[in-house]
Amino acid sequence: MIPHPDPTQETLVLNMGPQHPSTHGVLRVLLKMDGEYVIEAEPVLGYGHRMHEKMGEVRSHNGFYANVGRMDYGGALSFAHGHVLAVERLSDIQVPERAEYIRVITTELNRVASHLLWIGAFLLDLGAFTPILYSFDDREIALDLLEHVTGARITFSYFRVGGVCNDIDEQFIEGTKKFIKRMRERIPMFHKLVTGNIIFRKRVEGIGIIDRDMALRYGVTGPMIRGSGIPYDIRKVEPYSVYPEFDFDIPTYDEGDCMARHKVRMDEIEQSLRIIEQGLEKLPDGPVMMEKVPKKVKSGPGDTFMSVEAARGELCYYLATDGTDTPYRMKIRSPSYSNLSILKEVTSGILLSDLVAVMGSMDLVIPEIDR
Amino acid sequence: MVVIRTLIPLLKGLAFTIKHLFVKPITYQYPEQRREVSERWRGLHRLKMDDGRLLCVACGLCEAVCPADVITVERTETEDGRSFPSRFDVEVTRCIFCGYCQEACPKDAIELTRNYDFCEYTREEFNLNRDQLAKIEEA
Ligand code: SF4
Ligand code: SF4
């Protein structure tokens, strides 16, 4: 695995990570360099592996549910949404409509928070310190709102098989409306300060180009494939939950560079706000938990597959069960892991500083890669 | 020309930052100033008391539901036939604060308080027993 540089050529092997700030966690990238140019970048995984899939096979569905938020600290609720939907599909559980709306509203709010975290971290990678303070200012409000309903700020543990554990209240609805208004004023500010900034543009425009063909070959998903001009979003192409009832667009940009991915995410914040707004308007009354949830969620022998759109791309759960309340096999396809596979091809021949920009634009969450 | 084109956005950004010197800070001066957490906050556990008696009947449901296996309950009976826990241990360091225990409890006897900053010198001090859990105040 370790590339052996040819001593006759002046190549250099450089370890980026496992403790490198711009890898956002414990990811190690083995770089074969020719001066400042990257010849080959090889991601090395496994430093933070916690055997989540195995844990899913020894714990009951409900017991494992507490784990899912630990995989993606940025957008924990999308991971939770996928898991509860998979279990519900497996055991034919009908969820009250209000609960499904609440799930979508909170997940989208979490997606906004996740994208805000990304903007801050991405610009920090590029050497701009201040934007993270602004984006965290906004993210803080989103997290406060989520904390108000769920009781935690990162590992929400809020959805349950059969609904959600607590109803949302007036204070959350009012607060969310205010947050939407505030974000709509802040997005132009981000565009003015960041997107139009000449230094930023020089760092990201035309860097790390992923064309349509390459994106399809590697199966990248989420904002990365949408930045290459392919409108692939599970919420539209394979609608789940109550998403078909909302009116929202899938932003795409054709350039395929880091700038396109930045723009996609900025536009997605706006689209998520639209979904939240419509969700709060349409929110039906009723219970938030189905009656008589079984203590042990059982199903007949069988398997199921559920994919949802997480903040970073397509997230799939595959559950096979032999009739007990514990899955026989659980497979999780996490978006960052598949997106990372493209790194080697995209970054061959670019500058080291551009590699940081490319990795930043991928929005890598390491606990989700090393799950 | 390039220098000016590069400098202008920098100055614009700086002007924006300077404006923020005059607005109320968004940070908290912890620990002098503490943040109010939500009513539903899942912090340190507490066993509820009623008239000096524990509400817990040692049914063991919280022990069964806990995904991290950190609760240990042992049941015993008083002379008049009431059951209560002779032992109720929580290993707080291994708890993942999922809140399942307070949801599962039929007597509403265990609760996750709003206490979010707890620290000790050793790990052992975090293995709380029944009496310690009962003494924890509602934050
Ligand atoms: S909060 Fe969760 S992990 Fe902690 S004791 Fe209760 S059930 Fe167990
Ligand atoms: S705390 Fe509640 S669930 Fe746990 S043993 Fe006591 S009564 Fe049962």
Side-chain angles (χ1 to χ4, degrees):
Chain A
M1 187 140 73
I2 299 171
H4 292 290
D6 181 356
T8 55
Q9 289 176 351
E10 297 214 341
T11 52
L12 170 80
V13 176
L14 191 70
N15 263 312
M16 185 167 156
Q19 284 94 13
H20 189 280
S22 78
T23 59
H24 299 247
V26 277
L27 174 71
R28 175 169 158 223
V29 186
L30 258 180
L31 301 172
K32 204 168 146 188
M33 311 271 305
D34 179 8
E36 273 288 299
Y37 288 90
V38 177
I39 300 173
E40 199 178 293
E42 174 91 41
V44 184
L45 311 177
Y47 290 92
H49 192 58
R50 288 153 299 159
M51 294 168 283
H52 274 300
E53 284 177 10
K54 186 66 199 165
M55 271 195 248
E57 290 160 21
V58 294
R59 285 187 189 169
S60 66
H61 294 306
N62 280 335
F64 180 70
Y65 170 75
N67 277 37
V68 293
R70 268 93 185 159
M71 278 185 270
D72 182 351
Y73 53 76
L77 281 174
S78 330
F79 270 64
H81 203 177
H83 184 254
V84 287
L85 286 174
V87 176
E88 279 155 10
R89 185 182 273 187
L90 187 67
S91 27
D92 274 329
I93 290 176
Q94 289 299 327
V95 182
E97 218 192 351
R98 184 180 171 88
E100 212 40 84
Y101 268 86
I102 294 176
R103 281 178 183 179
V104 168
I105 291 168
T106 46
T107 307
E108 292 302 323
L109 198 54
N110 200 201
R111 191 188 308 275
V112 173
S114 167
H115 282 346
L116 284 171
L117 168 72
W118 171 80
I119 298 172
F122 177 47
L123 289 159
L124 203 56
D125 288 349
L126 295 178
F129 183 77
T130 325
I132 196 171
L133 301 175
Y134 290 96
S135 72
F136 266 48
D137 185 8
D138 296 330
R139 179 175 176 262
E140 198 67 12
I141 301 173
L143 289 189
D144 281 349
L145 289 166
L146 287 171
E147 178 199 317
H148 180 72
V149 282
T150 65
R153 295 171 68 81
I154 301 285
T155 49
F156 303 104
S157 190
Y158 177 51
F159 303 159
R160 294 286 181 272
V161 173
V164 295
C165 68
N166 278 314
D167 203 351
I168 58 175
D169 56 8
E170 258 328 290
Q171 199 184 329
F172 173 79
I173 294 174
E174 285 309 309
T176 311
K177 280 184 183 154
K178 262 193 219 141
F179 174 69
I180 295 173
K181 214 166 140 244
R182 178 192 158 109
M183 270 319 289
R184 293 225 162 108
E185 284 163 15
R186 298 278 281 194
I187 293 173
M189 180 203 82
F190 275 112
H191 278 309
K192 236 164 80 188
L193 274 182
V194 177
T195 317
N197 187 308
I198 184 92
I199 306 169
F200 175 70
R201 284 177 50 192
K202 289 259 184 252
R203 284 296 304 271
V204 294
E205 272 180 358
I207 303 294
I209 293 180
I210 300 173
D211 57 32
R212 286 172 72 104
D213 175 52
M214 202 201 290
L216 289 173
R217 259 191 294 128
Y218 280 92
V220 299
T221 47
M224 285 187 66
I225 199 166
R226 295 196 281 274
S228 304
I230 302 171
Y232 181 75
D233 186 317
I234 306 293
R235 291 174 292 175
K236 281 275 194 217
V237 298
E238 204 182 307
Y240 57 96
S241 189
V242 287
Y243 280 110
E245 285 165 41
F246 295 112
D247 173 30
F248 63 101
D249 305 323
I250 304 297
T252 54
Y253 286 88
D254 288 331
E255 295 84 3
D257 56 0
C258 296
M259 189 60 160
R261 298 192 272 280
H262 166 77
K263 284 188 191 154
V264 165
R265 290 200 178 88
M266 291 304 284
D267 291 0
E268 270 187 30
I269 294 181
E270 172 57 30
Q271 297 305 324
S272 290
L273 294 178
R274 271 178 73 192
I275 298 177
I276 301 168
E277 204 169 34
Q278 291 168 41
L280 290 176
E281 234 164 62
K282 289 186 188 167
L283 190 68
D285 286 330
V288 293
M289 195 74 185
M290 72 182 246
E291 283 168 48
K292 291 222 203 83
V293 192
K295 273 255 143 45
K296 285 192 168 173
V297 185
K298 277 195 189 168
S299 64
D303 58 352
T304 192
F305 184 83
M306 182 76 218
S307 66
V308 296
E309 183 72 26
R312 275 153 269 278
E314 180 176 1
L315 163 75
C316 310
Y317 282 95
Y318 173 74
L319 295 175
T321 161
D322 49 5
T324 57
D325 68 332
T326 310
Y328 174 74
R329 175 79 176 97
M330 162 174 274
K331 164 80 188 135
I332 304 160
R333 179 225 191 257
S334 62
S336 290
Y337 179 76
S338 307
N339 290 352
L340 181 66
S341 62
I342 206 168
L343 185 75
K344 202 169 176 176
E345 186 166 337
V346 176
T347 56
S348 69
I350 66 173
L351 280 168
L352 179 58
S353 55
D354 292 343
L355 174 98
V356 174
V358 173
M359 277 178 52
S361 77
M362 284 181 173
D363 194 7
L364 300 173
V365 165
I366 311 303
E368 177 210 292
I369 296 172
D370 266 348
R371 53 206 182 275
Chain B
M1 210 42 218
V2 176
V3 176
I4 294 170
R5 272 226 320 272
T6 324
L7 269 181
I8 287 172
L10 260 182
L11 290 177
K12 268 194 203 159
L14 193 64
F16 193 80
T17 310
I18 287 172
K19 247 197 313 194
H20 275 256
L21 280 178
F22 304 103
V23 298
K24 204 169 138 261
I26 52 168
T27 45
Y28 289 88
Q29 296 304 318
Y30 183 84
E32 287 82 28
Q33 204 183 6
R34 288 169 59 90
R35 192 175 157 270
E36 267 298 298
V37 293
S38 115
E39 283 296 319
R40 294 176 183 169
W41 185 266
R42 300 192 300 265
L44 193 61
H45 312 63
R46 170 176 100 94
L47 283 176
K48 287 196 203 164
M49 306 272 274
D50 184 29
D51 283 343
R53 288 205 306 204
L54 285 174
L55 282 175
C56 173
V57 293
C59 64
L61 280 179
C62 53
E63 187 181 9
V65 82
C66 177
D69 282 338
V70 302
I71 304 181
T72 317
V73 188
E74 270 166 28
R75 180 171 166 276
T76 187
E77 272 184 20
T78 54
E79 276 131 39
D80 53 351
R82 260 184 86 253
S83 65
F84 75 99
S86 60
R87 175 170 174 219
F88 196 108
D89 294 348
V90 177
E91 275 180 70
V92 179
T93 36
R94 282 180 49 217
C95 169
I96 56 173
F97 299 99
C98 59
Y100 286 3
C101 47
Q102 65 177 2
E103 261 172 56
C105 181
K107 296 281 170 197
D108 207 6
I110 189 164
E111 179 190 55
L112 297 180
T113 60
R114 294 164 74 199
N115 187 348
Y116 60 87
D117 46 356
F118 30 95
C119 47
E120 302 287 355
Y121 284 105
T122 61
R123 285 181 184 220
E124 285 68 38
E125 284 172 75
F126 266 121
N127 297 347
L128 301 182
N129 62 29
R130 186 190 63 187
D131 300 329
Q132 285 166 318
L133 285 168
K135 253 186 249 143
I136 291 165
E137 305 262 309
E138 195 174 359

